[in-house]
Amino acid sequence: MKLNLEGREIEIQRGESILDAIGKLGIESDSLLDRPLAAQMGGEVFNLKYTPHKESNITLLRYNDLEGQAVYERTLLFVFIMAMRKLFPKARVYVRYSMGNGLYITISNECDLTERDIDSLKQECRRLIEEDISLDRKRLSINDALELFTTDGQKDKAELLKWRRFSYFDVYMANGYTDYFYGEMAPSTSYVKVFDIHRLNNAVVLLMPDHEDPTIPAEYADRPKLAQVYAQSDKWGKLMNCSCAVELNRRVQNGSIHELIRVNEALHERAYANIADAAAARGAKALMIAGPSSSGKTTSANRIATQLRVLGLDPVMLSLDNYYIDRDKIPANEHGEKDLEHINTLDIERFNADLESLLDGRETLVPKFDFKTGKRAPEGDIYKLHSDQPIIIEGIHGLNPLLISDDIDQNKILRVYVSALPTMNLDDHNRIKTTDVRLLRRLVRDYQTRNAPMEQTLSMWQSVRRGEERWIFPYQENADIIFNTTLHYEISVLKKYVYPLLLEVKPESKYFCRARNIVKFLNYFMDADVEDEIPPTSILREFIGGNVFYK
């Protein structure tokens, strides 16, 4: 049987795997950048041990591919948990969220790990990696999987499986340990040689390869403000008894999701009130609202404005979008492409002049940008602010230190970062990624407001993510306040809108893999018909419709 492997034909025998074909072509490598981690066929990702049953065109996935990075992360996490089970058999590992280029992991049922413990853990991980232990995928019936995980003490996974709609469950096995990270893994432990482990109080950060140089592990970067907002979300989850998929499903099933919505929305309202209080206490004359795509910047800006009005202030709303330079004046990069998310797309000089003028109480002509023509409109809006009129300025570059001149009094500015950060896990070892929540929001909004098909939004997402990595995430800690806009109940609402549309993405589509990954984690959630309970000012209304701020 013939395979087309990245443009090269190779003959394999029936029963041989993609890994066998790689060996025959001599393209296996010890270099992380060159070494294949998984394979893609017809829009679907496969383990390299997969045995093709027909002639196929195969693309190999490496670490510079997003799916390749996901394969690496799952495999390294598998190795880490194997090492923990060997050294600290009573410990419970809970994978919480991403922190920089690593995973923040808490350890319970064990005393706080010492530096000596961390050294032992690293050595055990390296031993497992050097041993090149085979990672074998096996399909179990749901009943067998439930029995296996219950017997093994992984009751969180057993509880989650009770909500699974299918009669089977795929697992990975190695050295008597069985687990699953809803996605493919590398063929063996030897594929994840680049890593590090950083110790924190009652937690560790499992560090992945460095983005700039994947041959070395990323360095740990402390992010105290981000950690604080994660801690707040954890506190809210415990308060509402909604910290994982199983708990949310139970609330949907028994009807208590209505109470969950009321409490969750009240917590958001109080948080927006606290931001307004902080601005008033500082005497801030400008609030910069920044965040990545689908984080709820517009709704957040409006809700903060409402709370400022409660305090007797009269805020004015401005958008950084109006300071875009004409599209034909944006310089192209070395590939002839224009990066529309680059900070050089803004007329920073004009913005600073206008901001200084506004803060001084002078009459100021603020420009308008016409997105239809891609040029600044000939007319603008005239503002003259009074002492009780702070400016709320929304835009992705709001935290970038290049945006605001040092000539402007920084004490007059309050910087707010909003993002949809994860609030729950599927189970102890399977987190819900921040990008997955935002992508769900974006898919729903684009379809609801622009009738955009799933593939159109999926096609833009990688470019959006690259812009965020360069222009937004590096400046998170510059914020005075970080607020997590994710609602603990929102996945059960968004699923109803997006799930049937994702199922329509065909296997031959180049975006089938991304759509399928979202479908796989949504399979563990019940959908909820609760729109009558969601207030018109809710962040969620920005995506499903009915937001009063857009009327």
Side-chain angles (χ1 to χ4, degrees), residues 7-20:
R8 300 172 64 181
E9 275 200 354
I10 181 70
E11 186 82 29
I12 65 169
Q13 302 300 313
R14 191 167 298 277
E16 288 188 314
S17 67
I18 300 171
L19 192 59
D20 293 325

Side-chain angles (χ1 to χ4, degrees), residues 334-353:
E334 65 272 18
H335 305 295
E337 301 169 339
K338 294 185 177 184
D339 182 358
L340 298 180
E341 295 186 338
H342 197 293
I343 195 168
N344 69 8
T345 60
L346 295 178
D347 185 347
I348 295 178
E349 185 177 352
R350 171 71 182 272
F351 172 73
N352 276 280

Side-chain angles (χ1 to χ4, degrees), residues 22 26-38 48 60-65 68 72 186 190-194 209 212-216:
I22 290 171
I27 55 176
E28 181 60 283
S29 172
D30 286 333
S31 166
L32 177 56
L33 289 175
D34 298 325
R35 192 174 199 182
L37 296 168
L48 293 181
L60 297 176
L61 300 174
R62 297 175 173 83
Y63 193 77
N64 58 352
D65 301 300
Y72 192 96
S190 69
Y191 283 69
V192 290
K193 295 177 181 178
V194 182
E212 299 298 324
D213 182 5
T215 63
I216 60 173

